[in-house]
Amino acid sequence: MTPTARPRRPRARLSRATLVTGATELADAEGLEAVTIRRLAQRHGVTAMAIYAHFDGKEALLDAVGEALLETVRLPQDAAGEGTAGLTAALTATAAALRAHPSIAPIAAHRVLECEPGLNLAEYLLARLAELGLPAPLAAVTSHYLLNGVIALVTTEPGRACAPGDPDSRGRLIRERRARLLALDPERHPHVIDSATPLTGCADPDGYYAHGIRLLVSGARALAP
């Protein structure tokens, strides 16, 4: 008797959005270095040429990934977001979006002035800085500093850089780093030893980001005439 062949499950239609989602998931699981045309093609069960039908190459793919990340920033929509309150709200929203995908946070910075979501974010920050009295040249430099400051908070969160997507390996590496700091000479590095735990791991992520954003906004406010 001839065995009955199982019907094939229909393959999801390949699109730019599907590929961006796949690239984002790949970066979340294995880090940004894992995102290549070849790996993405394997993930979707297609040839590399199928990917090139949507993107000219890896750089174009990463541009789209960065833009998609910026689209998830939810800026304040009411008058409560003015001045320093608006800066805090916007930076908090940016941090929340980037925290969801820390491996691709760095590439978002390169797309801020190249796509509509990024331009909206830049316009919002510049408007709030103008409300504080900063002239356009100083506001431009400050907004650049603020955005890169938020990205740095995400990419350098204590313990974040250890083994993306692998909690077990991350925990082991954090413990090893902490042990190395605790083994330092207490006469030469007493404060590093005292801070070994918060330097190597982030027990309170929300507090860490709130404190970092307060520092950034305080710096911007200090520039106001």
Side-chain angles (χ1 to χ4, degrees):
M1 180 182 294
T2 303
T4 303
R6 293 183 179 180
R8 290 186 177 182
R9 298 178 61 184
R11 180 181 295 169
R13 180 179 175 85
L14 203 63
S15 66
R16 284 178 63 90
T18 300
L19 294 174
V20 166
T21 299
T24 300
E25 291 173 349
L26 190 57
D28 289 343
E30 301 182 39
L32 190 59
E33 298 78 11
V35 181
T36 64
I37 297 295
R38 175 174 168 273
R39 286 294 306 279
L40 192 60
Q42 291 176 342
R43 184 181 183 89
H44 289 278
V46 298
T47 66
M49 291 307 298
I51 309 296
Y52 284 115
H54 297 275
F55 299 100
D56 292 338
K58 179 179 177 179
E59 290 304 315
L61 171 64
L62 293 181
D63 286 346
V65 169
E67 291 181 17
L69 182 53
L70 288 171
E71 287 179 356
T72 65
V73 177
R74 298 292 175 253
L75 295 173
Q77 299 297 319
D78 53 34
E82 296 179 353
T84 55
L87 285 180
T88 300
L91 297 182
T92 299
T94 303
L98 299 184
R99 287 172 65 182
H101 305 286
S103 293
I104 59 177
I107 64 176
H110 303 299
R111 303 303 299 166
V112 169
L113 299 180
E114 305 297 330
C115 64
E116 193 63 24
L119 288 170
N120 291 339
L121 175 57
E123 180 66 28
Y124 187 92
L125 292 176
L126 290 169
R128 302 294 79 77
L129 292 169
E131 289 170 358
L132 293 178
L134 274 64
L138 183 56
V141 173
T142 304
S143 67
H144 180 78
Y145 163 79
L146 292 174
L147 283 174
N148 281 279
V150 171
I151 291 170
L153 284 173
V154 174
T155 58
T156 63
E157 177 187 321
R160 173 74 78 184
C162 302
D166 186 346
D168 293 335
S169 296
R170 185 182 304 120
R172 175 176 54 80
L173 291 171
I174 289 173
R175 290 191 295 272
E176 291 175 355
R177 288 184 174 184
R178 182 181 301 130
R180 285 198 296 271
L181 295 184
L182 292 173
L184 293 171
D185 183 346
E187 293 187 359
R188 295 185 59 190
H189 306 289
H191 296 93
V192 173
I193 293 172
D194 286 345
S195 302
T197 295
L199 284 174
T200 55
C202 193
D204 180 15
D206 289 339
Y208 163 82
Y209 284 99
H211 177 66
I213 289 170
R214 280 197 299 271
L215 289 175
L216 292 170
V217 174
S218 295
R221 186 171 55 229
L223 296 173

